[in-house]
Amino acid sequence: MTLEQLDKKYGLQTYNRNYTNFVKGEGSILFAENGDEYIDFASGIAVNSVGHNNPVLVSALQEQVAKIIHISNLQIIEPQAKLAEQICTLANYDGAIFFANSGAEANEGAIKIARKYGETKFDKKRYKVITLEHSFHGRTITTVKATGQESFHTPNFSPYPDGFSYVSNLDAVYESIDDETVAVMIELVQGEGGVQPFEKEKIQKLANFLKEKDVLLIVDEVQTGIYRTGKILASNVYEIEPDIITMAKGLGGGVPIGAVMTKHKDVLVAGDHGSTFGGNYLSTRAGLAVLEVLSEMDKSGKLIETLAYFTVKLKEVGDKYSNLFTEEVGLGLMRGLRAKNNEIMKAVLSNCMEKRLIVLPAGKNTVRFLPSLTITADEIDEGFKRFEEAISSI
Ligand SMILES: *Cc1c(COP(=O)(O)O)cnc(C)c1O
């Protein structure tokens, strides 16, 4: 059987897959089995933060797997403790971290912390969590309910947990808070919803208001985190100090990991939460290697340089093809071109694949770019050359 036949027979068909068989990656270049070379402007979905086959990540993992991959969380795990310290230090955040295995799981942890805070810190129980329209928070039953898109709440998976509601924009959060509201959960740049950043002043105003009301601010940095928007966390870019922050995608450089960080260190106690795999040697050693590479790029100014170069090239092509795109959106290396409509977005995506360039969709009509943060100027040039070849015929 071909790979496609195998997948269609034995894999549950939850994805609309492309069947190019990639066998190797190097930096931001992917090699297909037939020898074709692709430029990778997606890095998984913001996952391969330090590129493919990154020597620092690879040697850290090779060294680690030959020693020990896993013991239980009933033992101290050296790279886990060190990774927690690194994240808190680099983000300048006085908090503590629980490690999970994915973004959705990190968000589940955040919701559990908020719920227990609401149960134990007030005379009258608070449990409601407000989220935003066009948000995305994950695929578990609770995190789909937290996701502010009606299409995710199909009756197929009902009933959903109580206590979640979403509002259409930041301004609407204020009036929707009541005496049972425990937390507001937001992304600072909505990723899946269309690469839409919020205004810094609006976010800061909301953060201050919530602090006054003793309502927790949960920031879902599963996509924006780990230098994606120019600093280790988008919360640092926005200069806010949320009560709870979740991370995942870019943290392990491709090894599954999720993290929930909070300044409310005393809320969860032994027995309240746990994970078999969360924070094991493999994933946290990967996290340490990723942070080593990216914090060095940040300090040397290389990250800002890459970000600025990508931005210029994207703006050039966006302006030139104003017949296809209405605006350029995003922050840092989380970028998008808003296509005039869904058909144009689809045509751009399929033409790019033909020209051997990987880009992603977001929302209804956004072409999304999430390159590795270590992408070189040559790779950026080649990618945009292919992008123009792909779209000039539309
Ligand atoms: C991807 C994503 C998630 C879900 O992460 P998984 O690892 O797929 O569970 C949650 N929130 C945001 C903002 C994301 O981008």
Side-chain angles (χ1 to χ4, degrees):
M1 272 195 263
T2 64
L3 274 183
E4 179 166 353
Q5 287 165 334
L6 270 183
D7 180 67
K8 292 201 161 136
K9 179 150 194 249
Y10 294 106
L12 283 179
Q13 296 299 298
T14 64
Y15 302 101
N16 281 315
R17 285 210 152 105
N18 172 278
Y19 282 96
T20 309
N21 183 23
F22 292 106
V23 290
K24 191 175 134 56
E26 190 67 52
S28 290
I29 299 171
L30 281 166
F31 300 87
E33 191 180 26
N34 67 3
D36 281 351
E37 290 180 18
Y38 287 67
I39 296 287
D40 184 3
F41 270 4
S43 56
I45 302 175
V47 167
N48 302 97
S49 49
V50 294
H52 300 279
N53 198 18
N54 182 289
V56 177
L57 179 60
V58 169
S59 64
L61 286 174
Q62 282 173 337
E63 216 173 86
Q64 189 62 57
V65 292
K67 283 185 190 154
I68 179 169
I69 299 171
H70 179 88
I71 51 170
S72 83
N73 272 306
L74 301 175
Q75 317 293 332
I76 182 70
I77 298 169
E78 184 176 343
Q80 181 186 126
K82 290 183 170 168
L83 181 59
E85 186 248 355
Q86 274 292 302
I87 295 170
C88 290
T89 305
L90 289 168
N92 193 21
Y93 188 87
D94 180 14
I97 297 183
F98 174 89
F99 287 102
N101 310 286
S102 67
E105 240 187 288
N107 286 338
E108 290 268 351
I111 293 162
K112 280 179 77 174
I113 294 168
R115 284 274 175 86
K116 189 171 175 198
Y117 186 89
E119 171 68 29
T120 55
K121 300 274 180 189
F122 306 97
D123 293 339
K124 183 174 176 229
K125 181 183 174 74
R126 296 187 182 182
Y127 68 98
K128 292 180 184 166
V129 177
I130 297 169
T131 61
L132 289 178
E133 197 172 353
H134 305 303
S135 60
F136 180 76
H137 298 297
R139 295 289 197 160
T140 61
I141 292 278
T142 299
T143 56
V144 290
K145 185 60 188 169
T147 291
Q149 303 183 46
E150 215 40 65
S151 60
F152 277 76
H153 313 158
T154 103
N156 293 339
F157 311 119
S158 66
Y160 295 94
D162 287 339
F164 293 91
S165 63
Y166 61 89
V167 295
S168 57
N169 57 53
L170 285 179
D171 297 329
V173 171
Y174 296 87
E175 65 225 46
S176 63
I177 289 171
D178 63 27
D179 63 358
E180 290 178 321
T181 304
V182 71
V184 173
M185 177 151 111
I186 59 171
E187 297 151 272
L188 297 174
V189 184
Q190 290 186 329
E192 305 303 311
V195 204
Q196 188 59 54
F198 289 107
E199 272 172 51
K200 188 171 174 178
E201 296 78 55
K202 282 198 171 185
I203 292 289
Q204 291 184 338
K205 185 175 152 233
L206 178 67
N208 289 335
F209 176 81
L210 295 178
K211 198 163 281 170
E212 257 168 47
K213 299 280 170 200
D214 207 355
V215 171
L216 300 178
L217 175 61
I218 305 174
V219 175
D220 177 348
E221 295 231 29
V222 168
Q223 194 162 151
T224 55
I226 318 304
Y227 295 98
R228 180 55 55 188
T229 65
K231 296 198 169 155
I232 180 165
L233 295 175
S235 295
N236 296 113
V237 177
Y238 279 75
E239 299 177 281
I240 54 166
E241 231 179 62
D243 296 280
I244 305 173
I245 299 173
T246 58
M247 293 153 257
K249 289 191 165 89
L251 180 55
V255 181
I257 187 168
V260 51
M261 175 164 85
T262 181
K263 55 169 86 164
H264 304 285
K265 301 183 202 185
D266 61 335
V267 175
L268 295 185
V269 298
D272 274 343
H273 197 38
S275 166
T276 297
F277 295 113
N280 79 16
Y281 285 91
L282 190 70
S283 62
T284 51
R285 186 64 192 86
L288 281 171
V290 164
L291 290 186
E292 182 188 326
V293 173
L294 296 180
S295 65
E296 180 48 41
M297 278 185 72
D298 182 27
K299 280 190 202 104
S300 70
K302 181 76 195 142
L303 183 67
I304 289 296
E305 203 179 286
T306 303
L307 210 144
Y309 189 62
F310 196 91
T311 303
V312 167
K313 299 288 279 190
L314 183 67
K315 191 158 169 24
E316 260 173 35
V317 75
D319 288 349
K320 183 164 169 191
Y321 292 89
S322 58
N323 58 321
L324 303 176
F325 306 113
T326 56
E327 60 175 336
E328 194 244 310
V329 289
L331 191 66
L333 281 179
M334 184 171 174
R335 302 309 275 238
L337 288 173
R338 198 86 82 216
K340 286 202 164 147
N341 56 51
N342 180 260
E343 288 69 48
I344 290 176
M345 180 193 79
K346 283 188 176 151
V348 170
L349 289 176
S350 74
N351 287 14
C352 283
M353 206 59 197
E354 262 170 43
K355 297 290 177 194
R356 303 189 315 284
L357 170 70
I358 302 180
V359 292
L360 295 163
K364 278 195 198 69
N365 57 355
T366 306
V367 180
R368 178 166 48 158
F369 303 81
L370 294 166
S372 129
L373 306 174
T374 52
I375 193 167
T376 64
D378 285 349
E379 289 163 343
I380 294 174
D381 288 344
E382 179 60 27
F384 278 109
K385 189 172 141 235
R386 292 182 190 191
F387 189 69
E388 270 210 66
E389 284 168 12
I391 64 175
S392 56
S393 61
I394 299 175

